[in-house]
Amino acid sequence: MKFTLNLNAKSHTVADLVVVGAYAKPAAKEEAKKTTKKATAKKAATTEAGIVNNHWEKEIKTAFEAVKNSKNFKATKGEKFTFTHNGHEILVLGLGEKAKLESEDLRKELAKLSKDVSKYSKVALQFDGLQTKGNTEDSLQILVEAFTLAAYKFDKYLSDAKKSELKEVVIDSTEKSAKAKKLQAVIDDTLKVTDAINYARDLVNEPPNVLRSTEYAKRIKADVAKIKGVKCKVLGKTEMKKEKMDLFLSVNNGSGFDAQLVHLTYTPAKANSKTKHIALVGKGLVFDTGGYSLKPGGSMMNMKFDMAGSATVYAAFRAAANLGLNVKITCILGITDNAVNELATMPDSIVKARNGKTVEILNTDAEGRLVLADCLDYACDQKPDAIIDAATLTGACLVALGGEVCGLMSNNDKLAQSLLKSAKSADEYMWQLPIIPEWTKDMKGTISDLKNIGSSGWGGTAKAAAFLQEFIKDDIAWAHLDIAGVGDSQSHLPYCPAKGASGTIVRSLLEYLKSNA
Ligand code: BES
Ligand code: ZN
Ligand code: ZN
């Protein structure tokens, strides 16, 4: 899909479909229209609401006046009105009151619109009337996000995939041509972000018989080879053994495929001693059977998505590096499956972690924390200013926060606040859960330093975080994101596929990285 900017537009571009936005009249004015004299009400209707149509030819202006005065079309959010004029197909899209149109509202409406218009090859959007009350650049970013994220389909295994017809989106705007460079940069930068999100979605949706641990690492290695400033190191079983990552490797015991630790570093061109260094760590379970603590069939279904944490942090890393953000980033992906054979780790096993702590593995299905534990300790050795991990860690997160909210836990309030702020500006739901001393105590063992599950399932999400915190050294600021709920099937978001990988939280992480750049 190509985005073409047409600035200083005097008319609409000739296209298969022309889309015009319409704002609803503010409720008070609507009331005024009923009660006060007609003349006053008419003035309100043309100045405070309706269709931004300052560059249209006379006849089409008259047609829009008719739409504006229509009894039935109120320009409520998502309401549509279609007509043809002089052979042009025109779609008027209601956006509700402009003053109340939040960025996420616009993203959702444009995502729905993009699906509705996918049968057209070329669509011209009248951008002046498709904006929030915020600035033009923000609305343009939202437009590109909505169209490219909503267009995503995982159809490579379908013999008869239906392709979208939409090839070109022209953005007609009365903004001066002097702004061309700035607005084009918004488009290009947004595409770097949504490309990364769609890349992550592909990884998550890939079936486990294709995306083995080794294949996953290979794909990342090939992908980063194209990015400036990025170095890639892949540790296999032998190297990880040397690193004393026995806790991570214990998860890989029952697998026919080597565990892989992908260690990426992005160093910005302008890096100096003041440049911030952020480490991102991701759970990369290409499949989670539960191991000997086997999952029942129903719960095992879709456990290919148990690597979504690693795909999320990788996408944030990829986008940040492609954008050339001025922040150093270490990205650690802990990749393996959790399979069962006669060598698989048995419950009751006691294993020593890379940091020297011993862990009694009472439930082999609580495996993500074992992988992350060694990865977090390894990440600490890179001496970052902060570490953020993302993982589909606990089913309990869905119980606590539902399927729509990302869980956040941290040892550092400033970092937690900063992440919450980043999520807010990315329009993504994130909520902090506490790590209380009682839960830290509950994760201590009796015959080992730690155990990998708490004494009860209550508060399971934050107890898992309490376990992870044991592997953070030197008081490094650390935050854990449990994306078990938001990693897939965000059917309430029209810019996410109803089923499968969502690609959410990448934009939150990017906001965070930008705030450190
Ligand atoms: N990958 C799962 C977590 C999960 C479950 C994510 C359901 C999304 C949906 C994780 O490895 C797991 O199995 N966790 C256990 C932990 C328990 C044994 C303490 C869980 O949540 O049941
Ligand atoms: Zn598990
Ligand atoms: Zn898991």
Side-chain angles (χ1 to χ4, degrees):
M1 194 188 304
K2 180 178 151 199
F3 293 92
T4 314
L5 267 179
N6 176 33
L7 300 182
N8 214 5
K10 297 280 184 278
S11 178
H12 68 81
T13 296
V14 175
D16 303 317
L17 178 76
V18 175
V19 179
V20 181
Y23 302 111
K25 295 177 181 78
K29 298 291 167 192
E30 188 69 16
E31 204 47 45
K33 191 178 166 187
K34 282 186 209 151
T35 52
T36 59
K37 276 179 203 155
K38 248 187 176 176
T40 339
K42 204 165 179 207
K43 196 172 170 227
T46 46
T47 53
E48 297 196 30
I51 296 164
V52 182
N53 63 351
N54 43 8
H55 64 275
W56 299 100
E57 58 257 42
K58 195 166 163 255
E59 288 156 51
I60 212 159
K61 269 190 177 185
T62 319
F64 285 146
E65 281 308 314
V67 177
K68 275 162 62 175
N69 293 324
S70 149
K71 275 206 183 93
N72 298 321
F73 184 73
K74 299 275 183 217
T76 54
K77 243 180 266 162
E79 197 181 354
K80 285 186 225 84
F81 193 101
T82 343
F83 65 100
T84 48
H85 181 85
N86 281 348
H88 298 299
E89 223 172 299
I90 303 199
L91 185 148
V92 184
L93 173 70
L95 293 171
E97 284 179 43
K98 186 167 184 178
K100 292 184 183 162
L101 187 68
E102 301 294 340
S103 48
E104 180 69 349
D105 298 325
L106 183 65
R107 195 178 285 110
K108 284 179 174 171
E109 290 314 320
L110 291 177
K112 282 190 260 176
L113 171 79
S114 76
K115 287 180 204 164
D116 290 343
V117 304
S118 65
K119 63 178 178 202
Y120 299 94
S121 165
K122 181 174 174 180
V123 172
L125 304 179
Q126 305 316 293
F127 185 50
D128 293 0
L130 291 167
Q131 303 194 17
T132 62
K133 56 183 187 295
N135 67 38
T136 309
E137 284 81 354
D138 288 349
S139 291
L140 183 59
Q141 178 183 327
I142 289 167
L143 188 158
V144 177
E145 283 171 355
F147 270 72
T148 51
L149 292 176
Y152 176 82
K153 279 198 183 99
F154 186 69
D155 55 11
K156 65 191 273 199
Y157 294 103
L158 280 175
S159 318
D160 197 14
K162 260 204 213 117
K163 295 282 170 214
S164 160
E165 294 296 323
L166 191 56
K167 302 280 175 300
E168 185 177 6
V169 176
V170 184
I171 300 159
D172 289 325
S173 165
T174 53
E175 288 280 352
K176 297 279 164 281
S177 310
K179 263 198 144 177
K181 215 170 154 192
K182 200 166 178 195
L183 294 177
Q184 189 57 49
V186 171
I187 296 179
D188 296 344
D189 285 355
T190 308
L191 287 174
K192 286 175 188 162
V193 177
T194 57
D195 268 359
I197 294 175
N198 287 338
Y199 186 81
R201 286 170 167 179
D202 269 346
L203 288 170
V204 176
N205 286 326
E206 199 68 270
N209 57 320
V210 175
L211 199 77
R212 304 293 189 190
S213 52
T214 41
E215 170 66 18
Y216 188 7
K218 220 161 89 187
R219 285 195 193 184
I220 300 289
K221 196 173 177 184
D223 192 54
V224 291
K226 297 169 251 168
I227 314 176
K228 242 172 74 187
V230 173
K231 281 205 182 106
C232 174
K233 190 158 90 178
V234 179
L235 279 64
K237 213 169 167 168
T238 323
E239 293 84 4
M240 282 160 74
K241 193 96 206 129
K242 275 189 208 146
E243 282 284 341
K244 298 189 170 21
M245 298 181 119
D246 284 353
L247 202 53
F248 182 159
L249 286 172
S250 74
V251 178
N252 185 249
N253 278 348
S255 174
F257 304 89
D258 249 21
Q260 306 274 282
L261 184 144
V262 178
H263 177 176
L264 304 166
T265 39
Y266 161 67
T267 312
K270 288 186 280 180
N272 58 38
S273 60
K274 286 201 184 96
T275 310
K276 285 269 172 61
H277 177 192
I278 309 296
L280 302 174
V281 178
K283 169 178 174 182
L285 263 288
V286 286
F287 199 81
D288 180 13
T289 67
Y292 269 113
S293 312
L294 196 64
K295 286 183 185 293
S299 316
M300 202 187 293
M301 223 162 16
N302 197 37
M303 274 302 143
K304 66 173 184 179
F305 107 120
D306 214 17
M307 38 62 74
S310 59
T312 303
V313 295
Y314 176 63
F317 175 88
R318 185 194 208 247
N322 277 327
L323 288 169
L325 293 191
N326 191 27
V327 53
K328 184 177 172 190
I329 312 169
T330 292
C331 185
I332 312 286
L333 315 176
I335 304 173
T336 177
D337 54 14
N338 183 21
V340 210
N341 67 11
E342 69 275 25
L343 298 173
T345 299
M346 279 170 287
D348 292 347
S349 300
I350 296 180
V351 180
K352 194 182 258 186
R354 183 178 187 270
N355 73 350
K357 294 188 184 178
T358 54
V359 179
E360 188 178 15
I361 300 170
L362 292 168
N363 189 319
T364 61
D365 197 14
E367 85 299 338
R369 61 198 75 183
L370 308 179
V371 170
L372 287 177
D374 278 348
C375 289
L376 288 170
D377 182 61
Y378 181 91
C380 287
D381 287 351
Q382 313 305 312
K383 308 250 173 276
D385 296 302
I387 303 178
I388 302 162
D389 78 69
T392 48
L393 207 65
T394 64
C397 191
L398 282 125
V399 179
L401 296 173
E404 298 86 358
V405 181
C406 172
L408 160 71
M409 286 133 276
S410 180
N411 64 354
N412 182 296
D413 265 349
K414 205 170 146 223
L415 174 61
Q417 287 311 317
S418 171
L419 278 164
L420 290 172
K421 196 172 156 206
S422 304
K424 213 171 174 53
S425 56
D427 290 325
E428 295 187 315
Y429 295 126
M430 191 180 282
W431 197 257
Q432 189 177 6
L433 300 172
I435 304 175
I436 60 172
E438 285 80 349
W439 295 338
T440 302
K441 196 170 156 209
D442 193 34
M443 298 310 290
K444 304 274 189 221
T446 43
I447 58 167
S448 60
D449 300 330
L450 296 164
K451 43 195 179 63
N452 79 328
I453 54 169
S455 50
S456 84
W458 304 119
T461 301
K463 282 181 187 168
F467 177 86
L468 294 179
Q469 194 175 346
E470 297 286 340
F471 300 88
I472 303 298
K473 57 189 167 204
D474 306 330
D475 283 330
I476 296 177
W478 154 82
H480 162 60
L481 300 174
D482 196 328
I483 62 159
V486 299
D488 75 344
S489 303
Q490 296 296 285
S491 56
H492 60 292
L493 302 175
Y495 51 86
C496 288
K499 273 198 170 151
S502 68
T504 57
I505 306 304
V506 176
R507 290 186 300 108
S508 295
L509 285 175
L510 256 176
E511 286 297 317
Y512 172 77
L513 291 170
K514 279 184 190 167
S515 71
N516 280 280

